[in-house]
C-alpha cells in the first residue's frame, strides 16, 4: 500500500478578524436632522475599513443621503432596503460595492413605515434581514432618518449599540432625553442589551464660547458617554459627498479625515459603557 501522503498543513487563518465573530451593529440616531448622522456613518465606516475591518453601511433613510454620498442616485435604484424590509428580499441583493459595502435606500423607503405598520414583527424586519450576513462583517453601521418612527426603531432593535451625533450649535437636551426614553422602551420590550455607545459632538467650532459650553453641558449630563473626539466644523464634509466619496478618500491627509480616524480608535477601544443607565 502506498504510504499515505502527508496531511496538508492546516490552511493559514486569514488575517481579517471578521471570520470569528458576529458584527458589532452601530445605529446612528438622533431624531433631529442635520446633526451629521449620515456624514458620521459613512466616514466612521471608511475609517474602520482602513483599519482592515470588513464594514457594511445600511441606508435606512428614505432621503437616501448615504446612498447619494457614495455616488448612487436613489431615484434610479430598482431594489432597495424597502424590498428587504417589506418583501423580505435578501439584503445581499441590495448591497452595492462602494468604498465600503452599502445597502442602498430609495425613495420607496418612505412607504416602508406604513407597509410595515400592519405586519407582525414589524420592529424586527432589519434584525431579521441582517441575521444571515452578520458573520461576514466586523461592523454594520446603520444610518437612520430624522425621526423616531418605525425605520429608526428597526435600526435600534437590530443594533448592539447606538451612536448619537449631536450638533454643538443647537444642542437639544430634550431631544436626547426623548431618544433615551425610546431606547429604554426598546430595552424593555425588544432588545435588552442595546445602549448608547457614545455621544458624538459634531460641527464643533472651538472658537465660539457657545460650542464649548454645549460640550460642557453634554459632559455634565452624560459624563463618560461623550466621545473625546470632537468633529470640527469644516466645509470638507459637505464637499466630499458631491464627489461621491467619504472625506477620507476626498482629502485623506486633512484634519476632517483624521477626526473620523480618531473616532474609529475610540470605537475600537470600546471605552464607553455599553449601556447608559
Ligand atoms: N463637521 C461638519 N462640519 C460642517 N458641515 C458638516 C459637518 N458634518 C456634516 N456636515 C454637513 O451638514 C449637513 C448635514 O449633515 P448630515 O450628515 O447629512 O446630517 P443628518 O444625517 O443628521 O441629517 C450636510 O450638508 C453635511 O455635509
Ligand atoms: Mg441623514
Amino acid at each position: 500500500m502506498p504510504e499515505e501522503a502527508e496531511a496538508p498543513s492546516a490552511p493559514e487563518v486569514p488575517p481579517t478578524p471578521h471570520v470569528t465573530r458576529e458584527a458589532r451593529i452601530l445605529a446612528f440616531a438622533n431624531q433631529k436632522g442635520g446633526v451629521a448622522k449620515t456624514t458620521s456613518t459613512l466616514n466612521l465606516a471608511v475609517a474602520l475599513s482602513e483599519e482592515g475591518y470588513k464594514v457594511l453601511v445600511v441606508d435606512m433613510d428614505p432621503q437616501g443621503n448615504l446612498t447619494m454620498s457614495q455616488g448612487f442616485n436613489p431615484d434610479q435604484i430598482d431594489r432597495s432596503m424597502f424590498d428587504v424590509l417589506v418583501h423580505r428580499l435578501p439584503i445581499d441583493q441590495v448591497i452595492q460595492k462602494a468604498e465600503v459595502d452599502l445597502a442602498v435606500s430609495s425613495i420607496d423607503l418612505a412607504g416602508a413605515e406604513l407597509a410595515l405598520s400592519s405586519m407582525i414583527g414589524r420592529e424586527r424586519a432589519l434584525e431579521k434581514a441582517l441575521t444571515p450576513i452578520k458573520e461576514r462583517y466586523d461592523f454594520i453601521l446603520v444610518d437612520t432618518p430624522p425621526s423616531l418612527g418605525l425605520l429608526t426603531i428597526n435600526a435600534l432593535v437590530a443594533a448592539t449599540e447606538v451612536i448619537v451625533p449631536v450638533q454643538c450649535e443647537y444642542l437639544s437636551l430634550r431631544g436626547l432625553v426623548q431618544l433615551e426614553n425610546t431606547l429604554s422602551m426598546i430595552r424593555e420590550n425588544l432588545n435588552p442589551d442595546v445602549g448608547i455607545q457614545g455621544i458624538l459632538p459634531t460641527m464643533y467650532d472651538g472658537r465660539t464660547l457657545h460650542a464649548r459650553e454645549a460640550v460642557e453641558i453634554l459632559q455634565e449630563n452624560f459624563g463618560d458617554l461623550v466621545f473625546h473626539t470632537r468633529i470640527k466644523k469644516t466645509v470638507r464634509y459637505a464637499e466630499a459627498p458631491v464627489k461621491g466619496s467619504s472625506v477620507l478618500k476626498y482629502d485623506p491627509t486633512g484634519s476632517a479625515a483624521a477626526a473620523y480616524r480618531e473616532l474609529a480608535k475610540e470605537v475600537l477601544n470600546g471605552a464607553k459603557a455599553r449601556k447608559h443607565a
Side-chain angles (χ1 to χ4, degrees):
M1 232 171 135
E3 236 173 70
E4 246 175 66
E6 208 173 282
S9 57
E12 269 185 29
V13 177
T16 41
H18 68 270
V19 284
T20 50
R21 56 178 163 74
E22 285 188 350
R24 278 172 72 180
I25 303 177
L26 275 52
F28 288 73
N30 185 334
Q31 68 273 32
K32 188 168 168 8
V35 297
K37 287 183 291 296
T38 302
T39 305
S40 300
T41 306
L42 177 65
N43 289 296
L44 176 61
V46 173
L48 288 166
S49 144
E50 279 186 356
E51 293 287 319
Y53 294 93
K54 186 99 170 72
V55 185
L56 169 70
V57 292
V58 180
D59 192 350
M60 288 286 278
D61 185 351
Q63 294 176 81
N65 291 342
L66 179 64
T67 300
M68 283 190 273
S69 72
Q70 285 287 277
F72 298 97
N73 181 348
D75 297 338
Q76 290 173 356
I77 278 165
D78 285 342
R79 292 193 296 185
S80 73
M81 284 306 295
F82 174 83
D83 305 278
V84 172
L85 298 168
V86 176
H87 299 134
R88 305 212 172 148
L89 182 75
I91 194 168
D92 276 325
Q93 298 192 27
V94 306
I95 294 178
Q96 302 281 344
K97 295 281 171 201
E99 285 175 71
V100 291
D101 288 4
L102 163 67
V104 293
S105 158
S106 69
I107 191 68
D108 290 354
L109 196 55
E113 302 228 344
L114 188 61
L116 284 171
S117 64
S118 59
M119 287 166 58
I120 291 176
R122 61 192 176 179
E123 294 100 348
R124 295 198 187 274
L126 179 62
E127 182 187 35
K128 281 222 173 83
L130 293 177
T131 301
I133 60 161
K134 265 200 288 212
E135 286 180 3
R136 261 191 265 154
Y137 293 97
D138 299 301
F139 287 94
I140 299 176
L141 274 55
V142 185
D143 189 22
T144 68
S147 82
L148 294 174
L150 210 38
L151 287 168
T152 299
I153 289 176
N154 262 272
L156 299 177
V157 170
T160 55
E161 52 215 291
V162 181
I163 291 181
V164 186
V166 175
Q167 190 180 353
C168 296
E169 280 172 38
Y170 303 100
L171 189 54
S172 169
L173 288 174
R174 281 179 66 153
L176 293 185
V177 170
Q178 205 184 341
L179 176 60
E180 281 207 303
N181 289 342
T182 302
L183 267 176
S184 296
M185 283 194 292
I186 287 175
R187 268 196 295 273
E188 262 173 50
N189 298 296
L190 295 156
N191 184 8
D193 296 325
V194 72
I196 295 178
Q197 213 267 338
I199 294 177
L200 177 66
T202 65
M203 303 184 194
Y204 180 76
D205 182 350
R207 292 168 305 181
T208 68
L209 178 63
H210 178 63
R212 292 198 303 274
E213 279 176 352
V215 171
E216 273 170 29
I217 293 169
L218 275 182
Q219 284 168 331
E220 277 162 22
N221 284 273
F222 295 95
D224 276 351
L225 277 185
V226 182
F227 282 113
H228 299 298
T229 306
R230 312 266 173 271
I231 306 297
K232 295 210 176 80
K233 190 175 194 172
T234 156
V235 73
R236 290 283 175 274
Y237 293 115
E239 288 169 355
V242 179
K243 303 285 178 197
S245 68
S246 69
V247 85
L248 287 86
K249 185 177 170 198
Y250 175 72
D251 183 17
T253 56
S255 60
Y260 279 96
R261 292 192 188 108
E262 192 188 326
L263 177 64
K265 296 217 165 71
E266 276 198 72
V267 168
L268 288 166
N269 289 336
K272 299 284 157 312
R274 284 283 293 267
K275 223 185 237 186
H276 186 61

